[in-house]
């Protein structure tokens, strides 16, 4: 059963702490993405990766970091430098950069 | 500066009637356009796409129209059903920038 899995679904973090969001896909897709959704702002691109061991900053990369050591995994770390981390985070993957993306269920991060 | 705009945050339509969702873009380098549908607390799912070399693509009840001169695309849903109630995102892909840019979404409500 192929798909893309994000975990956890809900995450609470104290101010000043780093937290890592997991994203795994078994679709054999080369490209993976992280988006952030805030009310009224649609989906904004944080980071993307076209291939293993390569990733590029998106529109709002400040305060975030990623790694792509394996094709199927693209974890996102929200660091303490991110000023407004409370949001709904979506991971996606696609065969290549110009084909439709498949999204995970999302992780809602709340900073308390 | 939003390159992909969905100016209507919400739309209500009677069941059985046509739903028309609109999307405008500013970047003439976009060469591929996609529509995604999103239910609350879930990731978006791909709905339909259109290449910039076409002006229409149809898939069942869903048709996407592209007007390149006006930098405008629209999604038509005929007939609308209550299960179509969701947030619809327009997205545009630029091969040169290698990025997929999303609009802010339109909440469609289909009334029974």
């Amino acid at each position: 059963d192929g798909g893309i899995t994000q975990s956890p679904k809900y995450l609470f973090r104290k101010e000043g702490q780093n937290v890592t969001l997991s994203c795994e896909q078994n679709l054999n897709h080369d490209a993976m993405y992280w988006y952030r959704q805030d009310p009224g702002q649609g989906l904004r691109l944080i980071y993307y990766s076209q291939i293993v061991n390569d990733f590029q900053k998106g529109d709002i990369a400040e305060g975030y970091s990623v790694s792509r050591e394996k094709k199927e995994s693209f974890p996102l770390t929200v660091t303490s430098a991110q000023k407004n981390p409370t949001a709904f985070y979506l991971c996606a993957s696609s065969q290549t950069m110009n084909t439709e993306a498949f999204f995970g269920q999302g992780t809602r991060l709340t900073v308390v | 500066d939003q390159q992909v705009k969905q100016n209507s945050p919400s739309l209500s339509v009677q069941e059985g009637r046509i739903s028309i969702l609109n999307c405008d873009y500013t970047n003439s380098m976009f060469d591929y356009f996609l529509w995604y549908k999103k239910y609350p607390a879930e990731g978006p799912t791909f709905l339909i796409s259109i290449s910039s070399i076409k002006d229409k693509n149809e898939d069942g009840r869903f048709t996407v129209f592209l007007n390149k001169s006006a930098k405008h695309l629209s999604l038509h849903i005929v007939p609308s059903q209550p299960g179509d109630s969701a947030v619809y995102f327009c997205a545009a892909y630029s091969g040169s920038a290698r990025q997929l840019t999303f609009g802010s979404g339109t909440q469609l409500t289909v009334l029974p």
Side-chain angles (χ1 to χ4, degrees):
Chain A
D1 190 20
I4 181 163
T5 304
Q6 288 184 243
S7 61
K9 193 167 184 178
Y10 298 97
L11 188 58
F12 294 88
R13 187 197 91 178
K14 291 183 179 178
E15 275 195 37
Q17 287 182 340
N18 292 356
V19 64
T20 298
L21 283 60
S22 169
C23 178
E24 304 277 331
Q25 54 98 0
N26 59 5
L27 300 166
N28 200 32
H29 285 170
D30 286 318
M32 296 188 75
Y33 319 78
W34 275 104
Y35 288 89
R36 168 181 170 145
Q37 185 185 14
D38 295 284
Q41 294 199 45
L43 304 180
R44 293 184 291 166
L45 182 64
I46 304 173
Y47 267 96
Y48 66 99
S49 167
Q50 294 186 76
I51 200 165
V52 176
N53 292 322
D54 178 72
F55 49 83
Q56 306 293 331
K57 291 182 179 180
D59 301 320
I60 53 165
E62 186 176 351
Y64 299 98
S65 66
V66 292
S67 63
R68 187 84 188 277
E69 297 175 2
K70 298 187 295 182
K71 187 176 186 178
E72 57 271 22
S73 178
F74 191 42
L76 173 75
T77 298
V78 185
T79 74
S80 56
Q82 168 49 233
K83 297 193 188 317
N84 297 298
T86 294
F88 188 54
Y89 290 86
L90 285 159
C91 179
S93 71
S94 62
Q95 187 60 58
T96 57
M97 291 290 293
N98 64 346
T99 55
E100 54 266 25
F102 293 81
F103 284 80
Q105 294 290 302
T107 294
R108 183 162 296 282
L109 171 65
T110 304
V111 173
V112 296
Chain B
D1 180 32
Q2 280 189 301
Q3 294 189 64
V4 179
K5 299 179 185 179
Q6 292 177 257
N7 292 317
S8 298
S10 63
L11 174 69
S12 290
V13 170
Q14 208 67 36
E15 182 179 5
R17 299 286 185 97
I18 183 171
S19 295
I20 300 177
L21 298 110
N22 293 304
C23 179
D24 296 296
Y25 61 95
T26 57
N27 187 348
S28 58
M29 299 302 291
F30 287 138
D31 48 21
Y32 198 68
F33 301 90
L34 307 95
W35 283 94
Y36 288 82
K37 178 179 176 179
K38 184 182 180 300
Y39 293 113
E42 292 185 10
T45 54
F46 169 73
L47 198 56
I48 192 169
S49 64
I50 188 167
S51 166
S52 61
I53 62 173
K54 295 189 174 181
D55 55 19
K56 178 182 174 181
N57 188 25
E58 204 169 344
D59 183 3
R61 295 186 298 115
F62 303 92
T63 303
V64 56
F65 294 93
L66 176 62
N67 183 335
K68 283 187 70 177
S69 60
K71 294 191 177 65
H72 177 84
L73 68 155
S74 60
L75 174 68
H76 292 211
I77 306 173
V78 183
S80 301
Q81 299 172 355
D84 295 331
S85 297
V87 176
Y88 288 79
F89 288 100
C90 166
Y93 175 75
S94 164
S96 56
R98 295 178 298 176
Q99 282 200 14
L100 186 63
T101 305
F102 283 83
S104 55
T106 297
Q107 170 70 57
L108 172 66
T109 303
V110 179
L111 305 167

